[in-house]
Amino acid sequence: MKFIEIILRGVGQVMFQNNYFSGLLFLIGIFYNSWLFGLAAIAGTIISTVSAQILNYSKEDIKNGLFGFNGALTGIAILVFFEPTLGSIVALIVGSLVSTVVMNFLKKIVPPFTAPFVLVTWILIYSLVYIFKFPLETEPSSAIDYSFQIIESSGKSFGQVMFQNNAVTGFLFLVALLINDKLAALYAVYAAVAGSLFGWLFSASFSSINDGLMGYNAILCAIALGGTRKKDLVWITFAIILSTLVQIGLGKTGIITLTAPFVLTTWIVLGLKELEERKKKIAN
């Protein structure tokens, strides 16, 4: 039972929720959209968690699911971009394991967030495509939208945090947040709407906005940077704008963005906050 709780916490930590019931709701949301992605999330989380146990990493971090969430994302991503074949399953296993090693290394230097997932998945995707000639799966193109659908874009923004292009799944993710952290859920809703709006202002297509692609990085930024001070909302708003710009910019280069805009933006904001604190100390 304790191991199952750790695995569920690992899934919950994708959105920084150290709560096994939130993790369970995330899984239910994923399975609602795709049983295959649900199995991939479980497999990735188990592999990365067990790897951390075998490598004798921090027991407290393992208990809190901190070695599970990058594996969960890696597992889903592999089956989002590739058909389930022997080769892609091997990549899922290797990627989930390596994400744990990268996580343990990065956490000694910077707040790793989902950086291990991004780095490992980039290497896997481009290796499979350009070295092993695996065909890259692409999601069927959405019908061209000519209007901004606020409810749809917000719901899918939550879902896209874990590659789920499904508004119902997204709203289940929101419920999972509400159960554990109401303030985080409030910030996340603000980010989903604001990220989509800024995407529109920055001339992103309505199809990408309504599919949640302008909101999911913003949601992660808002949860990661959330706090009870009034100034936290200013930092979150800045992060939403910056992450949306990074998402659009990286997308234009042809790079598969994953959660890189969130990671880069949050590192920048944390650096700016630390610089501000240093200036205050010097001034005092």
Side-chain angles (χ1 to χ4, degrees):
M1 185 65 184
K2 186 177 288 186
F3 182 73
I4 293 174
E5 288 186 10
I6 290 172
I7 297 306
L8 292 176
R9 287 180 192 275
V11 178
Q13 289 285 10
V14 171
M15 295 176 75
F16 312 110
Q17 305 306 299
N18 186 8
N19 183 304
Y20 65 86
F21 192 56
S22 293
L24 177 61
L25 277 177
F26 287 151
L27 275 180
I28 290 171
I30 298 169
F31 272 101
Y32 175 84
N33 184 53
S34 167
W35 64 268
L36 185 62
F37 295 160
L39 290 178
I42 292 173
T45 310
I46 290 174
I47 292 165
S48 55
T49 301
V50 171
S51 298
Q53 291 174 331
I54 292 172
L55 294 169
N56 201 29
Y57 291 160
S58 167
K59 290 182 179 179
E60 190 66 22
D61 286 351
I62 293 171
K63 177 184 175 184
N64 290 326
L66 295 177
F67 283 106
F69 69 96
N70 280 288
L73 287 171
T74 302
I76 299 170
I78 292 301
L79 294 191
V80 165
F81 294 109
F82 300 98
E83 288 187 0
T85 62
L86 177 60
S88 62
I89 298 303
V90 170
L92 185 157
I93 294 169
V94 171
S96 300
L97 191 159
V98 175
S99 74
T100 294
V101 178
V102 176
M103 175 71 171
N104 191 62
F105 172 75
L106 283 181
K107 74 187 186 76
K108 300 171 184 176
I109 306 170
V110 292
F113 300 123
T114 57
F117 148 67
V118 173
L119 294 172
V120 170
T121 304
W122 272 344
I123 292 170
L124 284 173
I125 288 175
Y126 292 112
S127 295
L128 289 173
V129 170
Y130 292 109
I131 298 175
F132 298 101
K133 308 301 180 184
F134 277 49
L136 191 66
E137 287 281 289
T138 55
E139 190 173 327
S141 298
S142 299
I144 297 174
D145 288 332
Y146 297 98
S147 62
F148 179 18
Q149 306 295 329
I150 185 65
I151 302 298
E152 180 181 7
S153 66
S154 298
K156 287 188 175 181
S157 290
F158 278 92
Q160 290 287 8
V161 172
M162 301 190 211
F163 301 98
Q164 307 305 300
N165 188 12
N166 186 299
V168 174
T169 294
F171 288 121
L172 284 171
F173 287 1
L174 175 56
V175 172
L177 284 175
L178 279 166
I179 285 171
N180 189 56
D181 190 337
K182 291 179 176 59
L183 182 60
L186 183 63
Y187 280 136
V189 171
Y190 168 66
V193 175
S196 299
L197 283 171
F198 283 121
W200 171 66
L201 288 173
F202 299 143
S203 301
S205 69
F206 283 123
S207 295
S208 64
I209 294 169
N210 292 337
D211 278 347
L213 298 178
M214 295 299 114
Y216 73 96
N217 280 292
I219 287 171
L220 288 172
C221 288
I223 299 172
L225 297 169
T228 56
R229 298 183 306 172
K230 290 181 180 178
K231 195 164 186 179
D232 290 324
L233 184 60
V234 176
W235 284 115
I236 286 171
T237 303
F238 172 71
I240 291 169
I241 296 170
L242 183 56
S243 68
T244 306
L245 285 170
V246 175
Q247 171 76 2
I248 293 171
L250 285 178
K252 287 182 177 180
T253 68
I255 293 173
I256 297 172
T257 57
L258 305 177
T259 56
F262 150 64
V263 174
L264 294 172
T265 297
T266 307
W267 280 347
I268 290 169
V269 172
L270 289 177
L272 291 173
K273 289 175 75 172
E274 185 177 346
L275 187 61
E276 183 184 55
E277 289 299 319
R278 287 180 182 178
K279 286 183 177 179
K280 283 183 180 179
K281 287 180 181 179
I282 292 172
N284 292 331

